[in-house]
Amino acid sequence: YSSDELALLQAVAGEAALAFDRLRSADALADALVREQTAARIAHAVRDELEPERVAAVARAELQRVLGLDSAELDLRPEAEDGVSVVAGGERVGVLRVRREAPLAPGEELLVEMAALDIGAALQTAWLIAENRRRLAQQTALLSAAQVVTSELELEPVLRRLVEEVTKLLGADAADCYLLDRERGGRRCAAVHG
């Protein structure tokens, strides 16, 4: 080959190499876009749930569907090992374990890590909502008890209603109220509920 022909072949080879690099970059960008869209769908699905059990169930189902997993397990024990850490409120609350016969590709491993972050955020929200519901129920019961106490003038109906409200507030099956009977030197049952 002449030097002109060699130069032309080198130029063509250089252009081909650039074209292949661009194709690889385009494929990598397309894979990243698909991964981001999938992660967004999983995040949306788990963040729609307000109960911690539902967050876990939806996360498992979505990951199994998207990645063709044999199993996906969310172990909500801070000391759990062998999985991707799930962090909620800045603390490790457990791990996400996924299993499939074929090994996960690096992009799929990244997707699992992203899902674990979203699961942690969704669990934190669900736990906060549950705590707020519990506190609201307590405040409602206390308000109701206060209204009862201030609406009655006789002791017996007030004590009966107070015992009912305390039973609700504590989530107990039954409650009793005893008053000190100084004349008899003991206690007497003044109200019973349940």
Side-chain angles (χ1 to χ4, degrees), residues 33-102:
L33 178 62
V34 168
R35 184 175 51 252
E36 289 294 326
Q37 290 171 335
T38 303
R41 279 194 299 276
I42 292 171
H44 182 71
V46 297
R47 290 183 182 188
D48 275 351
E49 299 301 328
L50 300 179
E51 302 294 330
E53 298 80 21
R54 289 291 308 143
V55 169
V58 167
R60 284 191 309 266
E62 285 294 315
L63 285 168
Q64 284 178 309
R65 182 184 62 79
V66 168
L67 296 174
L69 301 174
D70 297 326
S71 69
E73 176 189 0
L74 189 57
D75 186 346
L76 293 179
R77 293 177 301 134
E79 69 277 3
E81 297 180 7
D82 299 329
V84 178
S85 291
V86 175
V87 176
E91 294 182 24
R92 186 175 188 269
V93 296
V95 295
L96 172 62
R97 292 186 199 99
V98 296
R99 287 176 184 65
R100 183 175 74 183
E101 191 173 317

Side-chain angles (χ1 to χ4, degrees), residues 93-157:
V93 296
V95 295
L96 172 62
R97 292 186 199 99
V98 296
R99 287 176 184 65
R100 183 175 74 183
E101 191 173 317
L104 295 177
E108 292 172 323
E109 289 176 359
L110 182 58
L111 180 62
V112 171
E113 291 171 10
M114 293 167 71
L117 290 172
D118 290 321
I119 291 166
L123 286 171
Q124 177 70 17
T125 301
W127 288 331
L128 289 172
I129 288 171
E131 177 65 18
N132 284 341
R133 286 179 180 159
R134 186 188 64 77
R135 287 183 181 179
L136 181 60
Q138 284 181 336
Q139 294 295 325
T140 302
L142 288 172
L143 176 62
S144 181
Q147 288 172 337
V148 167
V149 169
T150 58
S151 69
E152 277 289 337
L153 297 177
E154 293 187 34
L155 183 60
E156 296 300 321

